[in-house]
Amino acid sequence: MTTPVDLLIHNATQLVTCASPDGPKRGKAMRDVGLIRDGAVAVADGEIVAVGPTPDLRADYAARERVDASGKVVCPGFVDPHTHVVYAGDRVGEFEMRIQGATYMEIMQAGGGIVSTMKATRAATVEELVAASRPRLDAMLALGTTAVEVKTGYGLDTENELKMLQAIADLNATHPADLIPTFLGAHAIPPEYRGRTDEYVDLVVEEMLPAVREWRLTNLHSPISTPQFPLFCDVFCEAGVFDRDQSRRVLAAGLALGLKPKIHADEFESLGGVVLAVELGAASADHLDVTPPAEIEVLAQSSTVGVVLPAVNFNLGSTHFADARTMIDAGVALALATDINPGSAPCPSMPLVMAIACRYQRTLPAEALNAGTINAAYALDLGDRLGSIEVGKQADLLIVDAPDYRHLAYQFGVNLVDRVVKRGRLRIVP
Ligand code: NIG
Ligand code: FE
């Protein structure tokens, strides 16, 4: 007796599951990608129903559609757990200014940077934001990213922050990728609050966050089968932006309204943001470029995922990267993300991020793959639904045109993703 299924991918030279049902991978477990040679995966109703050696699955399942993955790798779709992919305009002029010697923070302090994108984003309608962002999501999907966290933070007032959330929700409803929203009202101080950061924090806490909560109740209906659509609250905890106390106020207020914390911490200066994140039970602490060793230990002992963003260092022309090697060895649950945004990382590619991590952060290809799939899903509290090839999970899979998963990080500047399966549907990648 065979069981009917929608799709059977079989004969994969390597099928890598990245399975980790009991929490994110840490330490030595990050070197284990759950490799099955001559592997197969069966899919029905958008979910994974079986995974194992090809001969077993062929005997047990009768599929409406079959795909022969001989000579190829099958792996989970990438989860990109830190992005600012929804925005208007670009900052190509700042790119040239940095080449000529200006730093990211100097440009920001001179009124450019995030505020420049804020101006373009405020001037755009929801429809224009959606239209500007969709091609970037298409590029991400073609490069294998099937789920994307997306931050607000270019509105910086109540109306425009809600407009950004609406654009994220509309894209989620119409694009094959899953978009998971994060409210980042505390991303920068808008010009009208210049020199009055505490008053801006009051606005975020007293007006924006309650409005975001209200919006969530009426607008967010989860396509991912979780009881409530995830919604996070983030803050840019950095010298000259929001200090540790201001960051705490924002994140604690969000938490009180049911928004789980995330934090931008230690990108340029360490203000103790990691300790704050751990104290508040944050889903993740992100950047971590200058995190002191004692705080790496604190992170390792916590359930907070550490998200590193090496495309930012690369893009800013820096040779200093977050110390991912020490983090993994200390037991931090490490994830990778692109941070795609118009300033610090105009980069849609998780494979490129993995390639950089392997070269400059000395992660092994297996560690980078787990960091971009299962651990990234846990950084979004979605480790039970996304990020690995396990029975019962959403069928988000990649067929990679290489015989060994290590090629994903070994080759760069090329897209090895041959086909993307999103919720069980095969998509031809352009
Ligand atoms: O994660 N550092 C703060 N925020 C973003 C950059 C956003 C921007 O420059 O537009 C980041 O790098
Ligand atoms: Fe960011």
Side-chain angles (χ1 to χ4, degrees):
M1 262 293 281
T2 53
T3 309
V5 292
D6 297 326
L7 175 66
L8 181 72
I9 303 173
H10 59 99
N11 284 130
T13 300
Q14 293 185 346
L15 186 143
V16 294
T17 66
C18 299
S20 189
D22 301 323
K25 286 179 178 271
R26 296 170 189 272
K28 288 273 190 302
M30 285 198 73
R31 297 183 186 201
D32 178 8
V33 289
L35 194 148
I36 301 171
R37 288 183 203 283
D38 191 15
V41 52
V43 172
D45 299 323
E47 291 194 348
I48 295 161
V49 295
V51 51
T54 294
D56 296 1
L57 266 68
R58 263 222 204 103
D60 293 347
Y61 295 94
R64 236 177 353 96
E65 191 171 9
R66 296 162 74 105
V67 177
D68 184 342
S70 311
K72 298 187 173 157
V73 167
V74 172
C75 72
F78 301 125
V79 177
D80 191 341
H82 181 139
T83 88
H84 310 252
V85 72
V86 170
Y87 61 85
D90 66 52
R91 308 229 292 273
V92 71
E94 291 179 10
F95 172 55
E96 270 194 342
M97 287 164 73
R98 282 199 308 273
I99 294 169
Q100 292 170 307
T103 69
Y104 177 85
M105 286 309 277
E106 280 166 8
I107 293 169
M108 181 167 176
Q109 259 126 31
I114 294 167
V115 164
S116 142
T117 301
M118 177 212 80
K119 287 177 185 155
T121 302
R122 281 185 180 176
T125 62
V126 172
E127 294 70 29
E128 286 166 342
L129 272 179
V130 165
S133 306
R134 189 185 303 282
R136 293 189 281 267
L137 288 165
D138 291 344
M140 294 168 84
L141 186 70
L143 288 156
T145 299
T146 49
V148 186
E149 185 257 16
V150 188
K151 300 176 196 297
T152 68
Y154 295 124
L156 307 184
D157 63 24
T158 306
E159 180 194 340
N160 286 294
E161 285 293 304
L162 291 181
K163 181 177 79 183
M164 286 197 73
L165 281 173
Q166 192 58 54
I168 296 167
D170 289 358
L171 282 161
N172 183 50
T174 56
H175 195 276
D178 289 310
L179 277 73
I180 295 99
T182 294
F183 168 68
L184 179 58
H187 191 198
I189 296 101
E192 60 273 22
Y193 279 88
R194 220 186 155 134
R196 298 189 292 139
T197 305
D198 279 321
E199 285 169 59
Y200 182 65
V201 172
D202 291 342
L203 181 79
V204 171
V205 167
E206 287 160 21
E207 187 180 300
M208 287 191 204
L209 271 168
V212 166
R213 179 176 181 272
E214 201 52 40
W215 179 89
R216 172 195 214 175
L217 295 176
T218 46
N219 290 280
L220 281 188
H221 307 288
S222 182
I224 303 172
S225 326
T226 50
Q228 198 179 24
F229 199 107
L231 176 61
F232 297 93
C233 178
D234 196 346
V235 60
F236 188 13
C237 181
E238 184 62 50
V241 196
F242 299 98
D243 67 24
R244 192 181 141 127
D245 288 343
Q246 291 159 342
S247 300
R248 180 193 297 279
R249 271 192 74 202
V250 170
L251 296 182
L255 197 53
L257 297 176
L259 279 67
K260 193 148 185 187
K262 282 182 168 281
I263 193 166
H264 283 67
D266 303 344
E267 181 176 359
F268 300 106
E269 284 185 42
S270 172
L271 305 183
V274 166
V275 174
L276 174 63
V278 170
E279 273 171 25
L280 294 174
S284 70
D286 304 33
H287 281 288
L288 311 178
D289 297 296
V290 294
T291 303
E295 292 189 40
I296 291 179
E297 272 307 316
V298 171
L299 190 58
Q301 300 304 319
S302 78
S303 61
T304 300
V305 175
V307 180
V308 296
L309 311 164
V312 173
N313 315 86
F314 172 80
N315 179 60
L316 297 182
S318 169
T319 52
H320 177 86
F321 291 83
D323 191 354
R325 182 72 266 145
T326 296
M327 290 181 205
I328 292 173
D329 294 341
V332 172
L334 193 88
L336 284 166
T338 61
D339 197 14
I340 179 170
N341 75 74
S344 69
C347 171
S349 175
M350 286 295 283
L352 180 60
V353 167
M354 289 162 53
I356 300 172
C358 289
R359 285 159 181 81
Y360 291 100
Q361 297 176 299
R362 291 171 50 231
T363 66
L364 294 165
E367 293 168 333
L369 184 59
N370 282 318
T373 55
I374 186 65
N375 280 12
Y378 278 111
L380 299 175
D381 267 356
L382 291 169
D384 58 337
R385 292 297 303 145
L386 306 176
S388 64
I389 305 181
E390 290 178 82
V391 171
K393 280 194 164 180
Q394 195 162 288
D396 294 356
L397 316 166
L398 309 178
I399 303 176
V400 178
D401 199 2
D404 184 312
Y405 73 89
R406 293 175 295 183
H407 279 263
L408 277 166
Y410 164 61
Q411 299 191 42
F412 61 96
V414 62
N415 186 6
L416 294 177
V417 175
D418 192 20
R419 306 185 83 175
V420 177
V421 177
K422 180 63 195 169
R423 287 185 212 199
R425 264 193 64 193
L426 258 176
R427 300 189 166 264
I428 310 293
V429 174

